[in-house]
Structure formats: structure tokens, C-alpha cells
Amino acid sequence: DQQVKQNSPSLSVQEGRISILNCDYTNSMFDYFLWYKKYPAEGPTFLISISSIKDKNEDGRFTVFLNKSAKHLSLHIVPSQPGDSAVYFCIAGGTSYGKLTFGQGTILTVHP
Amino acid sequence: NAGVMQNPRHLVRRRGQEARLRCSPMKGHSHVYWYRQLPEEGLKFMVYLQKENIIDESGMPKERFSAEFPKEGPSILRIQQVVRGDSAAYFCASSPWGQVVSYEQYFGPGTRLTVT
């Protein structure tokens, strides 16, 4: 039962263009969402988050949008840089204190 | 301020042996979480611990797996009588006391367990 779904296993983007990573969730009890980035042989690192009371949160080149009615969120990276190439996880929290539910991840490749 | 430490980074065990994975949280963090990542999948929550307490173990397999976070020392994830299906990357994360404002967790580099 995949409660957080990232339907695109991979995404390839040219440097300088926008990267859009999408995520859908099924559990309406989720009230907090995070995006983490993961490089090979390293643990995931926090990128940006959004509470369910908001519909947008921006941090530099990264913006997360939340559409609660559609149970959909997206991460926009603009402009994309080669160093952004990594696996991006969409993560949800709120159903149980401390427990995070991960999506399967999307491999982003930014070409120079 | 050192990050979350996990050791060993790689662990090879034969079927039937025991695996012990260690996690030292970030300084000042008293909440520890264990996740497992199987090939081609995202991380799956296993257990959430505070010092000397298991808070949520809803993701732990019912048999062979146990976790502890003693008053002193690292958190330990123990897998008894390992089987090939236990081969995975095991990640530990920690968060500060009073994780109220955000759900952010800090992850270690993971331990890759291979069962032969």
C-alpha cells in the first residue's frame, strides 16, 4: 500500500531549465510534507518542507507547491544545476509522531 | 558538530547469522529513527525510539528484528538469523528533543547489509 507515490522514476533536464518533480498521496491524515535529496552512498538530506496549512513554500531555487484537494505536491527547481542531480524523495508526516512515509524517489539528472 | 554516524557502513553476513547495526545520533538529539531501503524502493519506516523507550515500532517485522536506544551509547538495530531478503540499506535518522515545529530528521549515511 503505497501512500506516497512518485510516478516518475527519473527525470532529465537541461542546465538552466526548470525541473518539476511530482508527488501524490492518498492519506488525508498527512499534514506535513518534505522533500529530501539523496546522493549515492549518502543518507538523504533535507531540502524543503511545507505544512498542510500552506499551498506554497519557497527557498532560493526550490519551491514546493501543495494542492490538498488533489492530494498532490510538486517540487520546482529553477534554474536547475548539474549539482542538483540526485534522487529526490517526497515524504509525508503527521499520521504518527516521528514517522515519515517516503515515496519511491525520482532520479533527477541535470545535463550541462 | 558531527552528523549522524552509522557503523559499519557495509556488513556481510551469512544466512542464519546475526547482524548488529549501530547509530550514534547528532549531539543533543534524543530521538532516533530506523528506516530500511530495499532495491528500487523508497525508505520504509521501521522504528522510532527515544532514550530507553520504543515509541513506535509499527514498521518492524514481528520476528528476528529488535531495536534499542540505551541511556548510554548508540542505538542498535539487531537482526537475528538473517535471511537473503534482509539485504538492504538501513538508515538511521535523529531529531532534536521536542520535534514540534518541524518533522525534519537528520540521516546517517546508512549501513548496507548483504546476506550471502
Side-chain angles (χ1 to χ4, degrees):
Chain A
D1 177 26
Q2 191 70 31
Q3 297 189 67
V4 178
K5 296 179 184 178
Q6 294 176 253
N7 291 318
S8 297
S10 62
L11 175 67
S12 184
V13 172
Q14 204 67 32
E15 181 179 7
R17 307 294 290 266
I18 185 171
S19 296
I20 300 176
L21 294 91
N22 293 302
C23 176
D24 298 295
Y25 63 96
T26 57
N27 192 334
S28 57
M29 297 297 291
F30 290 138
D31 63 4
Y32 203 88
F33 302 91
L34 311 93
W35 285 92
Y36 273 62
K37 179 168 74 172
K38 183 181 182 304
Y39 294 115
E42 295 182 12
T45 55
F46 173 77
L47 197 56
I48 193 169
S49 63
I50 188 167
S51 163
S52 61
I53 63 173
K54 293 186 173 183
D55 55 17
K56 177 182 175 182
N57 189 26
E58 195 171 351
D59 184 1
R61 297 186 297 114
F62 303 91
T63 303
V64 56
F65 296 92
L66 174 62
N67 182 334
K68 279 198 304 182
S69 61
K71 294 191 175 70
H72 178 83
L73 62 156
S74 61
L75 174 69
H76 292 209
I77 306 173
V78 55
S80 301
Q81 300 173 354
D84 296 329
S85 298
V87 179
Y88 287 77
F89 288 105
C90 171
I91 302 164
T95 56
S96 179
Y97 189 73
K99 177 179 177 180
L100 297 180
T101 302
F102 280 67
Q104 309 97 307
T106 297
I107 301 170
L108 173 66
T109 304
V110 180
H111 298 283
Chain B
N1 186 9
V4 178
M5 311 280 283
Q6 288 188 251
N7 68 82
R9 293 292 306 275
H10 300 274
L11 182 61
V12 179
R13 284 287 176 266
R14 290 200 181 98
R15 278 178 297 171
Q17 290 184 320
E18 179 180 282
R20 283 196 183 202
L21 288 65
R22 294 175 185 77
C23 169
S24 297
M26 285 181 73
K27 188 177 180 182
H29 287 193
S30 58
H31 302 236
V32 166
Y33 316 83
W34 285 93
Y35 294 83
R36 176 166 65 174
Q37 185 180 25
L38 296 171
E40 311 298 326
E41 295 187 14
L43 281 70
K44 295 271 198 298
F45 169 83
M46 297 181 76
V47 62
Y48 164 34
L49 310 108
Q50 292 179 21
K51 288 278 187 182
E52 300 184 282
N53 277 310
I54 297 174
I55 307 302
D56 181 350
E57 56 181 347
S58 59
M60 288 279 270
K62 296 287 183 252
E63 296 176 349
R64 303 187 297 108
F65 284 72
S66 62
E68 62 177 6
F69 188 16
K71 188 176 179 182
E72 302 290 338
S75 175
I76 307 284
L77 178 68
R78 184 183 292 111
I79 311 172
Q80 295 177 306
Q81 299 175 324
V82 296
V83 301
R84 287 227 172 99
D86 297 332
S87 295
Y90 291 82
F91 290 93
C92 167
S94 73
S95 68
W97 177 85
Q99 190 194 16
V100 174
V101 176
S102 99
Y103 287 79
E104 184 179 341
Q105 296 175 9
Y106 298 81
F107 282 81
T111 294
R112 182 161 297 280
L113 172 65
T114 302
V115 179
T116 61

